[in-house]
Amino acid sequence: MIDKVISEADLVGRLRSGMTLGVGGWATRRKPMSLVRAIARSDLKDLTVVAPYGGPDIGLLAASGKIKKLVFAFCSLDHLPLDPHFRAARQSGAFTVRELDEGLAQWSLRAGAMHLPFLPTRAGLGTAVPEETGMKTITSPYEDGEILLAAPALRMDAAILHVHRADKQGNTLILSPDPFFDELIGRASDEVYVSTEKLVSTAELNMRENARYSPFERSVVTGVIHAPFGAHPTGATPDYGIDLEHLKTYAAATTPEAWADYRTKFIEVDPAAYLDAVGGGARLSAIPAPVY
C-alpha cells in the first residue's frame, strides 16, 4: 500500500503558481482552512481558484493576493453575510471572475467529475447566463429537438478538501450531516489533497459500516495531511462547530494595519501556534454544532 501522508510544506511544494485550484467545503463549513493558510503564506501566486461555495477561504486568499481568477457561485460567512475581504478585492477588480449560480456550478463540476466536456441543462436559458459566461447551446439529437444549455465541465489541476477521518492510503470519511460537493470537486481534479481531523488506521475507519461516508475511492487521493482543527474557523461537525467569535475577528480586520496584525497572529504561524492563538483544542471542541 502507498503511504500518502505528507506535510503542509510538502503540499505547497507540489502546487505551482498559475495553476487551477479547487477548494471544497461550503461557506463556513468544513473548509480546508489550515491548507488555505499554508498557501496564503507561500510564494504561490496567479491562481485560478474554483471555490463554488466560498467562505473565508476565498477572502483569505484574496486578501493575500493569491487569486488571478475566481470561479464561484457565492462567497459568504453565513452568519456574517458578506466576507469583507472578498468584497474589497471584487470591487477593486483584483481578479477576474466567472460567476455561476449554485446549480450550474454543481452541474459543471459533475461534468468535470465524469470527464465529459459538458452536460446539458435547461437552467440558465432565457437569462443573461450564456452571454455573461460564454456558455453555448446545443440541440437535442432526438425527436424533441429541444435547445439546451451546454454547461462546460469544470476541471482543476489540484483540489484541497477537509475530511474528518483518513488513513495513510487515502481512504476518507466525511461525517458531517451534508458532504456538500466535495466528491465532485475531488473527481474533477487531477490531484486531490485532503486534510483530516484524525489520521487513523484502515481498521479504525470501519469501512464496512461507514462506506456511505466515504466520498470517493482512495485512488482519487494524492496526499493526506494530518490537520487537527484544520477547518477552523469554519466548522467540522460533529467534531466542532463554527467559531463565530473568530470569524468576527477575521471580518473586522479590514484596514491595512488590522489585516497585518491578523496575518501576523493567525497566518504567519505554524498549525500548533495557530491553535494556541485561537484558544486551544479544548475551546474549539466545545463549540456546538450550528442549528439551521
Side-chain angles (χ1 to χ4, degrees), residues 37-275:
R37 287 188 290 272
I39 294 170
R41 61 177 176 264
S42 75
D43 293 330
L44 294 168
K45 60 181 181 179
D46 296 333
L47 300 174
T48 293
V49 174
V50 180
Y53 311 103
D57 52 324
I58 293 179
L60 198 150
L61 291 175
S64 301
K66 300 300 181 181
I67 304 176
K68 181 179 180 180
K69 180 179 180 180
L70 176 66
V71 181
F72 77 115
F74 67 74
C75 179
S76 172
L77 300 181
D78 281 335
H79 306 81
L80 310 173
L82 289 176
D83 183 308
H85 304 293
F86 159 75
R87 179 173 59 186
R90 181 79 169 90
Q91 291 176 338
S92 69
F95 46 72
T96 60
V97 299
R98 184 179 179 203
E99 190 168 3
L100 305 169
D101 74 356
E102 294 176 38
L104 280 174
Q106 181 264 134
W107 207 233
S108 291
L109 282 173
R110 190 171 295 278
M114 297 172 70
H115 294 263
L116 293 172
F118 68 90
L119 280 174
T121 179
R122 297 186 181 95
L125 291 173
T127 73
V129 166
E131 178 183 353
E132 294 294 327
T133 64
M135 290 187 188
K136 301 182 184 301
T137 57
I138 187 170
T139 302
S140 169
Y142 297 104
E143 292 181 0
D144 58 280
E146 184 177 358
I147 295 176
L148 299 165
L149 191 67
L154 279 174
R155 290 288 307 178
M156 291 144 282
D157 298 314
I160 53 173
L161 311 172
H162 188 72
V163 301
H164 292 90
R165 308 289 182 266
D167 66 9
K168 293 181 178 180
Q169 287 75 48
N171 294 298
T172 58
L173 297 179
I174 294 176
L175 304 175
S176 52
D178 191 334
F180 312 125
F181 297 102
D182 284 12
E183 175 195 354
L184 300 183
I185 293 173
R187 294 187 186 280
S189 302
D190 295 337
E191 298 179 355
V192 178
Y193 299 96
V194 296
S195 55
T196 182
E197 289 294 323
K198 294 182 180 180
L199 186 64
V200 299
S201 69
T202 305
E204 288 177 275
L205 291 177
N206 195 1
M207 295 302 292
R208 181 182 294 274
E209 292 186 11
N210 290 327
R212 61 179 175 147
Y213 300 118
S214 178
F216 33 62
E217 302 82 10
R218 65 172 178 258
S219 59
V220 173
V221 177
T222 309
V224 178
I225 301 98
H226 186 208
F229 304 102
H232 184 271
T234 70
T237 304
D239 292 332
Y240 51 91
I242 300 165
D243 190 346
L244 185 56
E245 179 181 334
H246 186 85
L247 284 176
K248 289 179 178 179
T249 299
Y250 160 80
T254 54
T255 66
E257 296 77 15
W259 177 250
D261 183 59
Y262 182 90
R263 187 175 179 91
T264 298
K265 290 180 179 178
F266 304 113
I267 299 177
E268 298 292 345
V269 293
D270 63 27
Y274 176 85
L275 185 58

